[in-house]
Amino acid sequence: MRNLVINFYPDSKNISRKKMRLLPGYTGSCCHELGGKTMLTPINPPSYISGSDFSVSVVYGVSGQWKGYQVEIYPGDCSVSCELLTHNNPMAAAQLALSLLQEWLIFWDTPLDLVKLFSVACSKIRRATAALFVPFDSIEEVRTAVTTLADRAELLHNQKISWATDYRDRLQFHGSRRNGYWELSLQDHSIRFFALNDPAHWMSRVAYSHDIVVIPAEYLALCQRYLFIEVTVKKRWLTRNAKVSPADWGWDEVLINDEILSMVEHDFGLRQNFPIMMPTDAAVKGLGTRGKNLMAWYFDGSDPRHHKMFVGQKKPHDVFAENCDEIKSITGIDLTVPFTNVQQLAAHQKLERFLTPSTDFDLPPDFEQYVFASPEMTVGTKSPEVLFAEHQLDQFEG
């Protein structure tokens, strides 16, 4: 995982409220960094594993009652000091976030029994960024992939949105050639694609931090031959797809990657039908006369929103959307895409080779240490008991 925002809540059934007041931020004043009773500006402690920063916020309910903690981490930075190539392992990322939270609580002299109230089982993911990596032979080919995907997104979404401004859940396109990356932004997820540290487009955020380790130039050169595709799923998507708990994702990276890739393919129209002429009668079997007339109007090059069937309707946009949904469910054809766009999309370069990610990075053994959750890499987390004992020893020696 590239990024994880996760809330941890205590299993406090057998702990008194008086004891719970010892938790940092429980009363809003346990330590000066946590003053106030609203969601606070995050505290940014260092990871005890790598030294890279992560963030902790106290979560309060609408009534001001303490609920738990929110942790945001870049798993690679916080474990192997390198956030480049990474495996999509939400469970490993959640366990890392939990351990960092526990160490932070222990730093504030939180009793061990309170620290152990928090677990991955009592957590909820609020945002997660997974990554897909498409290998190419050179950074020039990666640039071509970025440009091709940008052109496709521009064609499919920037122009499409002008027909659909009254509807929710429509894609919008954001990007800047100056910054070297592009992003498709939806209500519930977004897709960002770029060439890493392209000399022609230096990224605003270098994906490794603090110079804790010297990243070999050979490793950086290898990473530059991958197209980086980051997919950020938000609370709404997580809830809709029953992926709020880390356990909901499971441990099978192949299945996780397939689900993420399916989203990307859908957003770039790989599974969409873009015919440039009226389908045969057999293809529209089951479609009513009104639907067929609307399709004929569309393939004649006319704007389907202006068909006479919508004249005088109380809510013409809603009626248009209902008809489009019916036609799409039967034929797979989306009448909300302007026909001029369809003609260009049909002739557009195939995207399959730009969206064929790999999970096998085929790295030299020495490079595995820079990959989060690699089978050959140990994250380095410690149990709360060990963390507590080390803290006690530090205080004694101090």
Side-chain angles (χ1 to χ4, degrees), residues 33 48 85 143 150 163-164 254 273 303 333 346 348 396:
E33 287 88 349
Y48 71 85
L85 301 179
R143 291 173 185 161
W163 273 29
V254 173
N273 189 14
D303 188 338
I333 298 171
H348 198 265
F396 176 78

Side-chain angles (χ1 to χ4, degrees), residues 331-391:
T331 68
I333 298 171
D334 187 354
L335 299 193
T336 65
V337 182
F339 184 60
T340 53
N341 286 23
V342 169
Q343 292 174 307
Q344 295 177 67
L345 286 164
H348 198 265
Q349 186 174 5
K350 297 291 184 182
L351 299 181
E352 282 78 2
R353 78 182 186 95
F354 300 117
L355 297 174
T356 307
S358 172
T359 56
D360 181 9
F361 302 130
D362 193 25
L363 298 175
D366 290 347
F367 290 168
E368 291 289 350
Q369 63 181 301
Y370 304 116
V371 181
F372 171 72
S374 169
E376 292 79 8
M377 185 275 297
T378 301
V379 173
T381 57
K382 301 175 183 178
S383 70
E385 288 85 0
V386 170
L387 292 169
F388 189 80
E390 290 179 348
H391 179 65

Side-chain angles (χ1 to χ4, degrees), residues 165-212:
T165 52
D166 294 324
Y167 306 120
R168 300 175 64 187
D169 257 1
R170 295 295 185 184
L171 279 166
Q172 294 184 7
F173 185 77
H174 302 278
S176 169
R177 293 187 188 276
R178 184 189 315 160
N179 293 335
Y181 73 89
W182 296 84
E183 184 173 336
L184 288 167
S185 183
L186 297 87
Q187 283 190 326
D188 62 2
H189 73 278
S190 62
I191 301 174
R192 185 170 178 246
F193 48 103
F194 57 93
L196 180 77
N197 290 348
D198 186 340
H201 300 294
W202 187 258
M203 297 297 296
S204 59
R205 181 182 190 277
V206 179
Y208 46 92
S209 60
H210 296 294
D211 295 325
I212 295 172

